Amino acid sequence: ELQQKVEETELLKMELQMLETERVRLSLVEEKLMDVLQLLQQLRDLNISKRALGKILLSTLESCRDPQPGKAHLFEVLDTLQQELTACELLHQEPVEQGQSPQPLSNPLVISC
């Protein structure tokens, strides 16, 4: 009986460790998701076009088509999306003052993101 209790205790410890690992993983995913949502909010406030956002999203999905071994696919997609959004030039431009029109692009077909 004592041996059985020891084995049960070990199993419970392993299960607790797995739950803790999963909790940490979910916490990291939540943080990454919050960062992505914050970047999306900033871009929305800058009136980025739906077309430009679509291109960022499609680029992210294309680069994450084949999951890398050893890395959670969801986290990989969120991480790549955050990098794509962070690289968006609109986030790094100085805000346009009221009454001033935005600088036109040299080629109207070029999208800055």
Side-chain angles (χ1 to χ4, degrees), residues 97-110:
E97 293 180 25
Q98 283 194 326
Q100 196 180 26
S101 62
Q103 294 291 328
L105 298 173
S106 58
N107 181 347
L109 299 177
V110 174

Side-chain angles (χ1 to χ4, degrees), residues 31-46:
E31 284 179 33
K32 187 63 69 172
L33 184 58
M34 291 302 293
D35 291 344
V36 166
L37 291 174
Q38 203 170 29
L39 289 167
L40 286 170
Q41 180 69 42
Q42 289 175 6
L43 287 172
R44 189 190 79 171
D45 293 344
L46 292 171

